[in-house]
Amino acid sequence: MKSYGILAGTAIAVALGVHAYLGRARKFRTRVVGIIPARYASSRFEGKPLVQILGKPMIQRTWERSKLATTLDHLVVATDDEKIAECCRGFGADVIMTSESCQNGTERCYEALEKLDKKYDIVVNIQGDEPLIEPEIIDGIVKALQAAPDAVFSTAVTPLKPEDAFDPNRVKCVVDNYGYAIYFSRGLIPFNKSAEVNPRFPYLLHLGIQSYDSKFLKIYPKLQPTPLQLEEDLEQLKVLENGYKMKVIKVEHEAHGVDTPEDVEKIESLMRERNMS
């Protein structure tokens, strides 16, 4: 308990200075870069970015879909693995090499941003394991952040399927009446007294894709880990726990992320149904 108090106190102190900095330095958010973080090592699915999906590596599928977004001025892959880098260069992607010490995709995006030659106002963190990501969702979260100067972060949610209600790999979200995130959890939220899914309640599934004000992204690694972030193992909770606002857009999207080897067959079956090559 005492260590949590120290962490929270440190985070508040840092956050106060950060809020003042952002208030002085915020500019028009016009230049946008998309970054696809990709790592080879994974406890659940090693080498996941390179898995073949109907004849193409998954990272290539994600890159090709992301290239269709109209709001991105530039798109890069950020990785710590040379096999992934070589694969990406082979299909024409720009690659930024990052360190193995990055704790999550947000930190990898930050390191990649620091190595880019040009300056950008918004960074979009595009999940490499979403080979069917819709470019309209990328454009949607960018435009949401551009229209919300009080937010430093934006993301997307979609209706949660009842069968995913208690799956900890499917992150749930609740938002306020103004479209800002209240909380994210691996558990079902809200949770009612019956401990069962309410078929009439519009539960929301977090899609993972997110965009940041680039000035905030440079500050994010300096914020200490927070209790809720550590307990849920969700990096976006560190943003909320430090008092920052996160804009959320609601979309209709069949979430088809690849978390395990078994998901690959599901993706391929869906692509065949849609006649996607």
Side-chain angles (χ1 to χ4, degrees):
M1 291 294 293
K2 186 176 293 184
S3 61
Y4 272 14
I6 293 172
L7 283 175
T10 303
I12 290 169
V14 173
L16 288 173
V18 169
H19 280 299
Y21 170 73
L22 284 171
R24 291 194 306 269
R26 185 179 286 115
K27 297 180 180 179
F28 296 110
R29 296 163 171 167
T30 55
R31 291 192 55 80
V32 184
V33 60
I35 300 178
I36 305 174
R39 65 190 183 101
Y40 191 88
S42 172
S43 58
R44 288 182 296 177
F45 193 171
E46 187 175 44
K48 182 167 66 171
L50 300 181
V51 66
Q52 293 288 309
I53 296 181
L54 293 186
K56 289 183 181 180
M58 181 169 65
I59 189 71
Q60 181 175 355
R61 295 277 180 193
T62 303
W63 181 83
E64 289 176 348
R65 297 289 294 172
S66 301
K67 286 285 285 183
L68 299 175
T70 60
T71 54
L72 299 183
D73 296 298
H74 190 36
L75 179 66
V76 301
V77 174
T79 185
D80 59 5
D81 185 84
E82 191 54 48
K83 292 185 291 294
I84 294 176
E86 183 178 354
C87 170
C88 292
R89 294 187 188 106
F91 59 75
D94 288 335
V95 178
I96 300 291
M97 297 303 296
T98 54
S99 65
E100 295 181 1
S101 63
C102 295
Q103 297 297 308
N104 51 50
T106 302
E107 290 189 11
R108 200 171 301 283
C109 284
Y110 161 71
E111 188 174 325
L113 178 66
E114 292 292 282
K115 293 183 177 182
L116 289 170
D117 295 331
K118 293 183 179 179
K119 302 298 181 183
Y120 295 93
D121 305 309
I122 291 178
V123 177
V124 186
N125 179 348
I126 303 168
Q127 302 295 308
D129 56 8
E130 280 273 354
L132 300 183
I133 183 67
E134 296 173 10
E136 293 82 6
I137 295 178
I138 297 174
D139 292 335
I141 65 168
V142 169
K143 292 175 182 177
L145 190 56
Q146 289 171 331
D150 57 341
V152 299
F153 194 116
S154 66
T155 190
V157 295
T158 197
L160 177 73
K161 294 179 180 178
E163 60 266 31
D164 291 333
F166 299 105
D167 184 347
N169 292 320
R170 297 290 187 251
V171 176
K172 295 79 178 176
C173 176
V174 286
V175 301
D176 66 19
N177 291 336
Y178 303 97
Y180 293 91
I182 298 174
Y183 193 67
F184 296 85
S185 180
R186 294 186 181 277
L188 182 64
I189 52 173
F191 193 77
N192 60 50
K193 289 189 290 185
S194 74
E196 297 179 353
V197 176
N198 179 356
R200 295 180 297 278
F201 190 86
Y203 299 101
L204 297 174
L205 172 70
H206 183 221
L207 293 180
I209 185 170
Q210 46 210 27
S211 71
Y212 327 92
D213 181 294
S214 62
K215 295 179 182 64
F216 173 74
L217 182 58
K218 293 180 180 180
I219 292 160
Y220 176 89
K222 300 175 185 176
L223 297 175
Q224 293 296 311
T226 51
L228 295 175
Q229 174 203 2
L230 294 172
E231 184 64 20
E232 295 261 17
D233 190 22
L234 294 174
E235 58 188 280
Q236 60 268 36
L237 289 177
K238 183 164 75 168
V239 181
L240 296 181
E241 283 185 87
N242 277 290
Y244 294 102
K245 300 190 86 170
M246 186 181 303
K247 193 69 175 177
V248 179
I249 65 169
K250 297 179 182 180
V251 300
E252 292 293 331
H253 175 69
E254 287 283 338
H256 296 290
V258 177
D259 295 309
T260 65
E262 292 73 29
D263 291 329
V264 174
E265 186 175 342
K266 297 177 185 177
I267 291 283
E268 291 185 329
S269 296
L270 182 64
M271 291 179 67
R272 290 190 185 100
E273 290 175 10
R274 296 181 179 180
N275 293 317
M276 299 174 67
S277 59

